[in-house]
Amino acid sequence: MKKIMAVNAGSSSLKFQLLEMPEEKLITTGIVERIGMKNSVFAISVNGKKQEEVLDIPDHAVAVSILLNKLIELKILASFDEISGVGHRVVHGGNKIAESLVLGDDEIAYLEEIVDLAPLHLIPNLTGIKAFKKVLPNVKHIGVFDTAFHHSMPEESYLYAVPYDWYERFQVRKYGFHGTSHKFVSARCAEIMGKKPEDCNIIIAHIGNGASICAVKQGHSIDTSMGFTPLDGIPMGTRSGAIDPAIIEYMMNKKNKSVKEITNYLNKQSGYIGVSGISSDSRDLVAAAAAGNHRADLAIEVQAKRIVDYIASYYVYMGGADAIVFTAGIGENAKTTRSNIINRLGALGIKMDEERNDCRGVERLISTDDSKVKVYVIPTNEEVMIARDTLALL
Ligand code: AMP
């Protein structure tokens, strides 16, 4: 039995889960928020009860010390030595990293080299890694990369039709994200179907605030909707998804804005919030649409159409599919959104069982018995996947 910490460090937050492996039992979970600001918040769940404390936490290193000392104080750990390994969620592994690995000096230097690929996420990820390494120098630290699962994509999927030296000299290519989730959910789906991953083709619809679709052929990602960055693909809570790139220059001129400002609109003021003008949260849109708000309904429909475009295209690309899986906040909880998507796939012989679909956050088959492709809801668990990879590398 080993205790493994799964960590997700953001610019001002640090989420953690302590898990007992290989049992995959959650010992505790929590978050440090507002790091570097006044009134930072440390929250931890002990025996299912949330405890919160407001403190001043100037940086990630202090956040890590406080978090570890809390684990001792709350008698969750007797000493730091009980932690066998720390698995760090890392947003980007660049062109080279194709699997989870031990984070030594060379690996950290490589991540620093590619920081330009995802500065908003990689910089805080690196800060978190360094902070944990400082406080726990004798423990192995493992990087689990959002991009790694998509390294199996063939050139025809990952290459953009732009001047080739953009790829060769500047690493411009599709990387894909949510890889840890797509890997976890596709493996679980194969298991539920009683098949080996190499014997099935699965389409994963990870629809949360961020959203991506992935074609998993015989256990490997062969295409996914997010691209060079997580802005590509389907419309999301606040992101536009794919648009005609010429819109950027056109709108810069119309609004007299910089590239940075227009990109900010595409990342923060588009998707659900952009189309509806109401909210980036799917619950608000579902409620407003039910009350007759046309733009809320439109935001949902625009996204559904785009999701179906990807699912249908991946179905053909893989030569058929055994299953379609819904996961993440919206995929696991929003039955009307799931119905709306599946009902558009009738031409492929895919049929939703509305009674089975009447569920939230549970693992369930939701297609009819005669549906040509099985449709499942499978809750994702990126932390368990991080802990599994960490355990495997210890
Ligand atoms: P995630 O990014 O995976 O945490 O997903 C966040 C999204 O899931 C938000 O848009 C939430 O509104 C959505 N969500 C969570 N619960 C529900 C629900 N019961 N019905 C509809 N959407 C939900």
Side-chain angles (χ1 to χ4, degrees):
M1 192 263 286
K2 288 190 158 56
K3 287 178 183 162
I4 287 176
M5 180 79 87
V7 177
N8 187 351
S11 54
S12 64
S13 71
L14 198 150
K15 288 186 207 148
F16 62 91
Q17 278 197 5
L18 187 66
L19 293 127
E20 201 167 284
M21 298 297 284
E23 295 80 4
E24 302 185 351
K25 195 179 140 217
L26 181 66
I27 303 170
T28 186
T29 177
I31 184 165
V32 191
E33 285 177 293
R34 298 178 52 85
I35 299 172
M37 300 173 219
K38 281 248 164 290
N39 302 328
S40 318
V41 180
F42 176 85
I44 188 164
S45 165
V46 185
N47 300 326
K49 277 200 192 131
K50 199 171 160 188
Q51 294 188 7
E52 234 178 53
E53 212 175 310
V54 178
L55 308 147
D56 281 342
I57 304 179
D59 57 40
H60 283 71
V62 174
V64 174
S65 297
I66 290 178
L67 147 64
L68 292 171
N69 285 320
K70 269 278 168 211
L71 296 180
I72 306 264
E73 192 187 311
L74 293 165
K75 300 196 167 47
I76 294 166
L77 292 178
S79 94
F80 295 168
D81 297 341
E82 283 179 42
I83 299 177
S84 305
V86 182
H88 297 265
R89 180 181 184 182
V90 185
V91 72
H92 217 301
N95 223 346
K96 286 194 192 147
I97 298 178
E99 55 193 6
S100 301
L101 42 77
V102 178
L103 293 164
D105 292 345
D106 290 349
E107 289 74 21
I108 290 178
Y110 173 68
L111 293 178
E112 275 166 346
E113 238 172 69
I114 61 161
V115 105
D116 271 358
L117 290 173
L120 286 183
H121 293 100
L122 261 181
I123 292 171
N125 287 165
L126 278 161
T127 309
I129 293 165
K130 287 177 188 168
F132 263 98
K133 284 193 82 150
K134 199 165 150 196
V135 184
L136 296 174
N138 302 319
V139 163
K140 265 195 185 159
H141 294 263
I142 312 297
V144 180
F145 300 83
D146 272 16
T147 51
F149 183 59
H150 302 298
H151 252 258
S152 41
M153 285 190 291
E155 270 179 312
E156 62 178 23
S157 289
Y158 72 69
L159 205 67
Y160 293 117
V162 292
Y164 196 72
D165 80 318
W166 293 15
Y167 167 61
E168 280 188 315
R169 292 178 55 210
F170 305 110
Q171 297 87 50
V172 171
R173 52 160 285 176
K174 178 185 281 193
Y175 289 100
F177 296 86
H178 291 146
T180 310
S181 173
H182 290 305
K183 184 176 170 187
F184 175 87
V185 173
S186 57
R188 179 66 193 139
C189 180
E191 199 178 336
I192 295 171
M193 292 194 294
K195 292 185 176 187
K196 290 188 183 142
E198 53 270 34
D199 292 332
C200 43
N201 296 343
I202 302 170
I203 298 169
I204 311 292
H206 176 117
I207 319 173
N209 205 13
S212 70
I213 314 296
C214 183
V216 186
K217 189 176 171 79
Q218 297 165 346
H220 301 284
S221 167
I222 60 161
D223 205 355
T224 189
S225 59
M226 281 179 172
F228 178 67
T229 72
L231 180 55
D232 199 5
I234 57 181
M236 310 171 210
T238 62
R239 289 176 233 159
S240 61
I243 59 161
D244 180 342
I247 293 171
I248 295 175
E249 188 188 357
Y250 177 80
M251 286 311 298
M252 281 170 67
N253 292 335
K254 286 285 171 201
K255 287 189 89 126
N256 197 21
K257 300 272 185 205
S258 65
V259 170
K260 206 169 175 175
E261 286 167 320
I262 297 294
T263 308
N264 207 39
Y265 276 111
L266 299 178
N267 268 310
K268 306 224 169 109
Q269 298 295 330
S270 298
Y272 281 169
I273 181 76
V275 176
S276 72
I278 293 177
S279 170
S280 62
D281 191 300
S282 127
R283 282 165 289 202
D284 297 337
L285 293 199
V286 170
N293 185 300
H294 173 63
R295 274 174 54 191
D297 184 51
L298 196 57
I300 297 171
E301 299 295 328
V302 168
Q303 187 196 47
K305 183 202 177 285
R306 224 56 104 60
I307 291 173
V308 169
D309 290 347
Y310 277 103
I311 293 178
S313 125
Y314 291 166
Y315 180 90
V316 173
Y317 190 41
M318 291 200 291
D322 300 279
I324 296 168
V325 184
F326 287 98
T327 194
I330 298 169
E332 290 166 27
N333 292 299
K335 62 179 178 182
T336 50
T337 304
R338 291 193 299 253
S339 290
N340 189 11
I341 293 164
I342 294 303
N343 290 336
R344 289 165 182 257
L345 289 162
L348 298 178
I350 303 170
K351 292 187 216 159
M352 177 73 101
D353 182 319
E354 292 299 344
E355 242 171 71
R356 290 177 181 169
N357 185 41
D358 190 8
C359 64
R360 276 191 55 196
V362 290
E363 204 171 86
R364 187 183 276 188
L365 176 77
I366 55 170
S367 49
T368 58
D369 291 338
D370 66 344
S371 174
K372 199 168 160 204
V373 178
K374 288 184 161 63
V375 184
Y376 291 96
V377 175
I378 301 180
T380 191
N381 196 332
E382 290 167 285
E383 288 74 18
V384 160
M385 198 69 235
I386 291 171
R388 278 183 199 168
D389 279 11
T390 303
L391 180 69
L393 283 164
L394 286 182

